[in-house]
Amino acid sequence: MCLAENQEQLSMPTTYDPKAAEQKWYDFWMKGEYFKAGDRKDAEPFTIVIPPPNVTGMLHIGHALDFTLQDILIRFKRMQGYDALWLPGSDHAGIATQTKVEQKLREEGITRYDLGREAFLERVWDWKEKYANTIREQWAKMGLSLDFSRERFTLDEGLSRAVRQVFVKLYEKGLIYRGKYIINWDPAARTALSDIEVEYKEVQGHLYHLQYPLKDGSGTITVATTRPETMLGDTAVAVHPKDERYKHMIGKMLVLPIVGREIPVIADDYVDKDFGSGAVKITPAHDPNDFEMGLRHQLPQITVMDESGKMNELAGQYQGLDRADCRKQIVKDLQEQGVLIKIEDHVHQVGHSERSGAVVEPYLSTQWFVKMKPLAERAIEAQKSGKGVNFVPDRFEKTYLHWIENVRDWCISRQLWWGHRIPAWYCEDCGHIHVAEEDATACTSCGSNHLKQDEDVLDTWFSSALWPFSTLGWPEQTEDLKRYYPTNVLVTGYDIIYFWVSRMIFTALEFTDEIPFKDVLMHGLVRDADGKKMSKSLGNGVDPLEVIEKYGADAMRFMISTSSTPGQDLRFRWERVEQARNFANKIWNASRFALMNLEGFTYADIDITGELGTADRWILHRMNETAREITRLMDAYEFGETGRVLNNFIWDDLCDWYIEFAKLSLYGSNEQAKKKTQSVLAYVLDHTMRMIHPFMPYISEEIWQHLPHSGETVTLAEWPVYRAEFEAPEAVREMTLLMDMIRAVRNIRAEVNVPMSKKVELIVKPTDRMVEANITNNLEFVERFCGTSKLEVSIEAAAPNKAMTAIVTGAELYLPLAGLLDIDQEIARLQKEVEHLNKEVERVDKKLANQGFIAKAPASVIDEERAKQRDYSEKRDKVLARITELKEA
C-alpha cells in the first residue's frame, strides 16, 4: 500500500531533518536489497566497479566527489530500467597501509622485525578490518547505492588467484623478468616506490662545481652536481660528441678526486653542450639518466649506499655515514683539496616518498619488471582504430596515448610484507627460479626441496590493474563476468590516468581481449576556496562527514556534483553547500504545501487527461522539457549543467510560479478545476522527486513516500521520459506573457514603493486579438498577482497621461498612479530602458553582421537572433513613443 492511501502523507514535519531521514531510508534501502543487481534478468546490464579506496584511513572530500558521481549514474541507470551493478571494494594499498601499521608499532616501541612476518601480517589484517568497516560506514553516510553482496578486496582469495595467474602467464610469455635497474627507493621504508608514490617538492639546495683532472696532466674538466656524495660512484664524465671544447679529450682518462679511480671521458648525444660546462658526471647506480647512458657505454655500476641511505663499503672512508652527513663531509674534503671551485644557490625539484616523507633515492636494485612495450602496442592499436576507450573530456585521450607511446618497463616488486607475495621460488641448491600459480615444493630443475620464496610483494597497482574483471570472478568464467563485463564507465581523477587507467586497459586487452570499460569519465581535484590543493600540512582539507553532519548528505552531494565540470578541478566553498541546503529546504517547503492540499487524494485519483488550465499545461510542458534535457546531460556526464537545469525548473518554474498559480484553483470553489490542479501537482512532484533522486536521494525518498505514488521506493521508480502529449507551446506563450506582465508590474511597484497590499489600476494594451484573448482567459492570475483594483484589457486601450509604463513582448502596460507618480522620474526611468534596449539592439546587430557567425551558426539560431532583433527594436520604439507622450502631457 502506498503511504498516500493511508493518509500518512499528512504527517510530513514542518522542517526537513536530514539526520532523521538519512539513517531511516538507508536502512530501508538495505533491508529491501534495492541496490542488488541481478533481479532484472531481461534488462540490459550497466556496470560500474568502484575505484577501490585504500584501507589506510578515512575517506576525504575527493572520494566524496568520485563516489557521488558514480552513485548519480548508477541510480539514474537503475531508474531507467537497467540491471545496474555498482560493485564496491577496497585496496590493500601495500606501502601506504604497511607504513600506517608500522607507525602504530613504533608508538609501542617495536618494529615489524620484532614481530616477524606472520604476526605482523595479522596486525595489518586487523587494521584492514577496522578501516574497511569505517569506509563502509562512510559510504552509507553518503547514501551510496552499492551492491554489498559483491564487495571485493584486492587480497581476497579469488583476486589473489587472478594476480598469480597474470604474473605466471606474463612470465611465461617473457613479459615479466628479473633484473637490475634504477628505481625510486624509499630509504626510510626500505622499498621500491611507484612514480605516483613520489611527491616532488621545491627545495633550496646548492650546485657544486667540481674539477676532475685528466690523468695525463693536460687539463681538467669541470662538472656541476647537486649531490656531491654520489661522485664516489662516478664511472665516467660525458660530453657531447660535437662539442669542440672537449673533442680532444674524448677517450682520455680522468682521475676521480678523493677516490683516485680512473674514469673515461665519453661522448653521448644526451648531453646538452649549451647547459653549464657542457660536461656531466655519470653515476649509473644513482641516477636514472646516467643508468641508461651507462648501459649504452657498458660502464660499471657502483652502488655507494645501502638500502637505508647510508654510505656502504664502496664509499671508502665515508662508510657508515648517512647520505646527508656524507655530503657535508665530502664538500669539506673537496674544498680542502681545491677540487670544489664554486658553490651556487640552486632551487630544484626533489622527490619525496609520499608515505614516509624521506627523500627518494634513485637506486640500482634487483627487481621484477613488466615489459610494457608489447602490451602498449595492442592498447595503442585499439585506441587508434576506434576500438578503444572513450575519454571524457576527449582531450585526455592525447594524454593517455602520449604516455603509452613512451612507456617504460614497470618495476612491480616491493620490499614489503603486506601484499601479494611474488610467486617465485629460488632453489638453494642449483639456483633455478621457479615461477608458478601453486606453491612450489620441489625444484623443477634438480628436484631439491630446498626452496625459498621471494620475500618481496607486488606493487599495489599490479592487482588493481585487474580490478574490472578480477572482481567479477576472472579467471573463472562466472555468470557475473559474462553478464557485467566489460563495464560501462570508470569514474576517476585525471591524476591516475597513467598509473591505473592505462594499466587496466593493458591487462584487460591481454587477458580478456576486450577493453575493460566503454567510457572513462575524468574529474578534477577538489581544491579549497582559494584554489589550493588540499593537504594535511596546509590544514585546508575537508572531511565529508563534517559536511554531512552540518548540512546533510543531499546538500553535500548536490553541491559537489553540480560544481564539477568533466576534467576540471573544483573549489570547495561552504557557502555553496549552504545554497544546496537552501535548495533542499525550498523543495521541502513546496512539497509540504502541496501535501497540505492533497488531503484525501490518492494515486488512483491522479488524472491529467482532458481540459487543463494554462498553468497546468505549462508546468507539464516544462517538466517534460526538463526531463528530456537532464537525460541528455546525464548521458553526456554534464552534471554541472544538470544541476542548473534542475534548479531552474524546481526553484523558478515549480516553486515560484506554478505553486503560486495553483493556489487559485486549490483555494477556489470550482471542484473540477481543483481536482485537475491536484492531479497535476501530485504528478509533477512525483516526477520531480524522481529527477532529483540521483543527486539528492534522501529528501527525494522522504517526500516521494509522502506523495500519492505507486511502488515501494523512488529508487526503483521509472525515470521520467519525454512525452509528446505534454508539449504545449501555446501554454508556454501564454504563461511567458503572464509572467512578464507580473514581473513588470511588480518592478514598477518596487520603483515607486507601492506595496502589494495596496491595490492599483492596470491598463493592458495587447498587440493583437490573440494576445488579448490569452490575457482575458487568465484574468484571475493578473488580478491576483498584480494586485489590481481595476483591470482593463483592450487592444484599443489608450495610455493615460500620468502613468507608469512597461513594455513586454505582446503588450503595453500602464499603471495610472495619481499622486504617486513623478513624471520626470518616469521619463528618466524610461530613458534608462531605452539605453538598455539600444545596447541589446546593437549587440544583436553586430552578431548578425558577423559573416563568420552567419556562416557557421545553425539556421534556427540565426532565426532566433533575428526574432530578438525585431523584438528589441519594437520595444524600443514603444518606449520612445511613451517618452514623447509624457513630455507632451
Side-chain angles (χ1 to χ4, degrees):
M1 179 184 291
C2 68
L3 292 178
E5 291 173 342
N6 61 16
Q7 301 303 301
E8 288 188 30
Q9 78 270 24
L10 299 180
S11 64
M12 194 166 170
T14 306
T15 56
Y16 175 59
D17 180 2
K19 291 179 184 176
E22 288 168 9
Q23 189 62 57
K24 174 179 68 175
W25 291 121
Y26 204 81
D27 290 345
F28 170 76
W29 293 329
M30 295 304 292
K31 185 178 179 181
E33 296 187 337
Y34 299 126
F35 306 151
K36 192 172 181 180
D39 291 340
R40 300 172 175 178
K41 302 295 183 185
D42 298 328
E44 183 180 345
F46 184 92
T47 316
I48 299 176
V49 291
I50 201 167
N54 297 341
V55 287
T56 48
M58 308 287 279
L59 301 180
H60 54 67
I61 198 71
H63 288 117
L65 168 64
D66 192 64
F67 299 152
T68 298
L69 296 181
Q70 292 170 70
D71 193 44
I72 289 169
L73 286 172
I74 211 74
R75 286 181 182 273
F76 169 54
K77 291 299 179 181
R78 190 182 291 122
M79 294 174 77
Q80 283 189 315
Y82 288 84
D83 178 17
L85 168 62
W86 188 15
L87 190 148
S90 51
D91 197 313
H92 67 281
I95 187 172
T97 304
Q98 179 160 320
T99 300
K100 292 280 188 181
V101 176
E102 289 198 80
Q103 286 172 353
K104 292 289 289 183
L105 293 180
R106 281 197 293 274
E107 291 171 11
E108 299 173 25
I110 58 175
T111 70
R112 61 171 157 144
Y113 301 103
D114 296 325
L115 291 176
R117 188 165 192 148
E118 295 306 315
F120 175 73
L121 289 177
E122 287 179 14
R123 295 286 289 266
V124 188
W125 275 105
D126 290 342
W127 174 283
K128 177 264 173 186
E129 287 303 317
K130 175 183 176 182
Y131 282 97
N133 285 329
T134 299
I135 288 168
R136 289 186 202 104
E137 291 168 3
Q138 290 178 296
W139 281 340
K141 289 284 188 185
M142 295 177 196
L144 306 185
S145 58
L146 294 153
D147 183 349
F148 284 103
S149 70
R150 290 175 166 87
E151 184 179 357
R152 306 307 299 268
F153 178 58
T154 47
L155 286 177
D156 282 350
E157 183 180 343
L159 274 69
S160 296
R161 187 167 63 252
V163 166
R164 276 204 173 189
Q165 184 168 127
V166 167
F167 186 97
V168 172
K169 295 294 184 188
L170 291 176
Y171 180 80
E172 290 172 348
K173 290 181 74 171
L175 295 177
I176 282 183
Y177 65 93
R178 189 168 183 257
K180 268 195 167 185
Y181 204 84
I182 283 279
I183 44 89
N184 298 312
W185 184 261
D186 183 335
R190 300 193 187 189
T191 181
L193 299 173
S194 65
D195 290 342
I196 197 173
E197 291 165 328
V198 179
E199 290 183 324
Y200 286 90
K201 301 177 183 177
E202 198 171 81
V203 172
Q204 176 65 59
H206 298 91
L207 195 61
Y208 302 88
H209 296 261
L210 315 177
Q211 276 189 337
Y212 287 12
L214 285 162
K215 180 186 176 184
D216 62 10
S218 61
T220 62
I221 289 183
T222 300
V223 297
T225 180
T226 58
R227 306 183 64 213
E229 69 278 9
T230 64
M231 68 169 289
L232 302 172
D234 284 0
T235 55
V237 167
V239 297
H240 194 277
K242 294 182 180 179
D243 194 331
E244 295 296 332
R245 294 171 294 177
Y246 301 115
K247 267 193 173 181
H248 66 288
M249 296 184 180
I250 296 171
K252 288 188 175 185
M253 301 302 287
L254 296 163
V255 178
L256 186 61
I258 294 181
V259 180
R261 184 169 64 247
E262 293 181 13
I263 60 174
V265 179
I266 62 172
D268 196 286
D269 289 331
Y270 174 80
V271 179
D272 182 355
K273 62 182 180 179
D274 297 320
F275 181 77
S277 67
V280 292
K281 59 189 281 302
I282 306 301
T283 320
H286 291 280
D287 181 277
N289 296 316
D290 293 1
F291 175 79
E292 297 290 346
M293 203 181 304
L295 292 180
R296 290 196 292 273
H297 296 272
Q298 298 180 318
L299 297 175
Q301 300 165 339
I302 302 174
T303 304
V304 296
M305 295 180 202
D306 64 18
E307 293 180 350
S308 67
K310 288 185 177 180
M311 310 310 290
N312 64 18
E313 67 279 1
L314 296 179
Q317 68 200 61
Y318 304 102
Q319 182 178 359
L321 288 178
D322 176 82
R323 55 188 171 160
D325 293 332
C326 177
R327 179 180 300 179
K328 293 175 186 175
Q329 185 60 49
I330 209 165
V331 165
K332 182 180 177 183
D333 293 345
L334 289 168
Q335 285 174 321
E336 288 177 356
Q337 290 189 13
V339 174
L340 179 57
I341 58 172
K342 184 169 62 172
I343 302 175
E344 292 180 309
D345 288 339
H346 181 65
V347 177
H348 59 136
Q349 296 287 323
V350 176
H352 291 71
S353 170
E354 184 185 50
R355 305 306 174 188
S356 70
V359 172
V360 170
E361 187 65 43
Y363 194 68
L364 184 63
S365 177
T366 300
Q367 303 286 343
W368 288 89
F369 297 88
V370 176
K371 286 183 181 177
M372 295 302 292
K373 286 289 185 186
L375 296 171
E377 285 168 6
R378 189 170 179 187
I380 293 166
E381 181 187 355
Q383 201 65 30
K384 291 188 173 180
S385 66
K387 297 177 182 177
V389 169
N390 174 42
F391 286 91
V392 182
D394 59 8
R395 69 176 183 274
F396 285 105
E397 181 180 37
K398 291 181 181 178
T399 306
Y400 164 71
L401 280 172
H402 175 76
W403 187 75
I404 61 175
E405 286 170 348
N406 297 279
V407 72
R408 292 165 51 176
D409 286 0
W410 172 17
C411 175
I412 55 172
S413 46
R414 297 290 181 268
Q415 290 62 55
L416 305 169
W417 288 352
W418 173 244
H420 293 98
R421 196 163 173 181
I422 290 173
W425 288 261
Y426 305 100
C427 179
E428 295 179 324
D429 291 335
C430 73
H432 176 70
I433 300 177
H434 179 71
V435 172
E437 291 183 45
E438 302 300 327
D439 288 359
T441 56
C443 177
T444 55
S445 178
C446 72
S448 169
N449 58 7
H450 296 147
L451 301 179
K452 184 178 181 182
Q453 187 176 357
D454 197 305
E455 293 286 332
D456 292 351
V457 300
L458 289 164
D459 178 13
T460 299
W461 298 103
F462 192 92
S463 53
S464 58
L466 318 182
W467 188 252
F469 51 94
S470 64
T471 52
L472 293 168
W474 189 92
E476 304 300 324
Q477 290 302 305
T478 63
E479 290 303 313
D480 272 4
L481 187 66
K482 293 174 189 174
R483 180 159 179 76
Y484 298 110
Y485 184 83
T487 67
N488 292 80
V489 60
L490 172 76
V491 181
T492 189
Y494 61 65
D495 53 331
I496 56 173
I497 186 170
Y498 307 141
F499 309 105
W500 190 43
V501 177
S502 59
R503 287 168 180 167
M504 284 190 284
I505 296 171
F506 293 158
T507 52
L509 286 170
E510 178 69 19
F511 291 98
T512 72
D513 287 323
E514 295 184 271
I515 56 171
F517 21 72
K518 296 181 181 71
D519 294 343
V520 177
L521 172 60
M522 293 288 183
H523 61 73
L525 304 176
V526 182
R527 298 183 178 273
D528 70 10
D530 297 322
K532 295 176 184 174
K533 187 176 179 180
M534 292 184 177
S535 69
K536 287 183 180 178
S537 60
L538 291 174
N540 61 347
V542 174
D543 180 356
L545 295 191
E546 180 189 350
V547 184
I548 292 170
E549 177 69 22
K550 193 170 182 180
Y551 291 105
D554 288 333
M556 183 197 72
R557 289 169 59 108
F558 193 78
M559 181 283 298
I560 203 166
S561 60
T562 60
S563 298
S564 68
T565 301
Q568 298 296 319
D569 292 346
L570 67 94
R571 296 188 181 191
F572 182 92
R573 292 186 172 95
W574 282 102
E575 58 268 27
R576 292 213 62 182
V577 190
E578 191 168 344
Q579 289 167 8
R581 191 268 315 273
N582 294 343
F583 180 50
N585 288 341
K586 184 82 170 179
I587 296 168
W588 181 264
N589 292 334
S591 302
R592 187 169 178 275
F593 163 79
L595 285 162
M596 290 168 61
N597 288 278
L598 291 173
E599 185 175 354
F601 197 85
T602 68
Y603 183 75
D605 293 326
I606 296 177
D607 177 14
I608 53 175
T609 61
E611 189 175 343
L612 297 173
T614 298
D616 296 329
R617 286 180 289 121
W618 171 76
I619 198 63
L620 289 170
H621 175 99
R622 285 291 300 119
M623 183 200 75
N624 205 37
E625 278 188 326
T626 302
R628 179 169 59 183
E629 180 65 1
I630 66 171
T631 301
R632 181 188 71 79
L633 291 168
M634 295 269 271
D635 283 334
Y637 307 117
E638 292 286 354
F639 302 110
E641 274 299 288
T642 305
R644 183 189 61 79
V645 170
L646 278 171
N647 188 85
N648 288 347
F649 170 70
I650 295 171
W651 195 294
D652 298 338
D653 297 339
L654 179 58
C655 297
D656 285 355
W657 287 105
Y658 178 71
I659 287 179
E660 290 303 311
F661 275 39
K663 289 177 180 178
L664 271 67
S665 54
L666 291 173
Y667 297 161
S669 56
N670 186 329
E671 282 300 315
Q672 184 178 357
K674 180 179 180 180
K675 289 286 185 187
K676 286 296 182 184
T677 297
Q678 286 177 315
S679 290
V680 170
L681 192 54
Y683 184 89
V684 171
L685 276 173
D686 172 5
H687 283 68
T688 300
M689 292 310 108
R690 301 183 198 204
M691 288 191 286
I692 68 165
H693 179 70
F695 293 86
M696 307 176 92
Y698 289 118
I699 194 170
S700 57
E701 184 76 85
E702 180 76 24
I703 293 171
W704 191 84
Q705 291 287 358
H706 284 85
L707 288 168
H709 66 267
S710 176
E712 297 177 27
T713 171
V714 71
T715 296
L716 301 182
E718 184 180 340
W719 180 256
V721 295
Y722 170 80
R723 292 176 56 176
E725 65 268 28
F726 286 161
E727 282 294 308
E730 73 291 343
V732 173
R733 286 193 296 271
E734 291 177 27
M735 275 295 291
T736 301
L737 174 59
L738 292 172
M739 291 188 294
D740 286 348
M741 289 170 59
I742 293 165
R743 287 193 196 98
V745 171
R746 289 183 170 180
N747 287 341
I748 291 174
R749 281 176 168 275
E751 278 192 48
V752 293
N753 296 316
V754 177
M756 283 300 296
S757 58
K758 184 176 179 64
K759 299 294 182 181
V760 296
E761 182 180 345
L762 176 61
I763 300 168
V764 181
K765 183 178 183 179
T767 54
D768 56 48
R769 294 295 179 189
M770 182 181 291
V771 173
E772 184 179 46
N774 290 344
I775 298 171
T776 303
N777 291 337
N778 292 285
L779 282 181
E780 59 179 340
F781 296 124
V782 180
E783 291 170 342
R784 167 68 179 81
F785 296 108
C786 290
T788 61
S789 58
K790 180 181 178 183
L791 175 61
E792 177 188 348
V793 180
S794 172
I795 201 167
E796 288 88 17
N801 286 337
K802 293 185 178 181
M804 298 289 281
T805 306
I807 309 297
V808 298
T809 303
E812 296 175 45
L813 311 179
Y814 309 111
L815 276 76
L817 297 175
L820 295 176
L821 174 64
D822 184 313
I823 291 179
D824 291 337
Q825 283 185 359
E826 174 62 355
I827 289 172
R829 186 186 71 82
L830 290 174
Q831 285 173 335
K832 286 183 181 178
E833 180 67 12
V834 169
E835 290 173 12
H836 167 71
L837 290 168
N838 278 336
K839 289 178 183 177
E840 293 297 332
V841 171
E842 183 181 354
R843 181 184 61 79
V844 178
D845 285 347
K846 282 183 180 178
K847 204 169 189 179
L848 292 171
N850 184 335
Q851 291 306 310
F853 170 74
I854 297 297
K856 295 178 183 178
S860 59
V861 174
I862 295 171
D863 289 343
E864 186 178 334
E865 290 301 315
R866 284 177 176 150
K868 287 180 183 177
Q869 185 185 48
R870 289 191 298 273
D871 187 44
Y872 289 138
S873 297
E874 289 171 6
K875 285 179 180 176
R876 179 180 60 183
D877 292 343
K878 288 175 182 176
V879 174
L880 286 170
R882 183 57 183 155
I883 290 173
T884 301
E885 289 174 6
L886 287 171
K887 286 181 176 178
E888 293 174 354

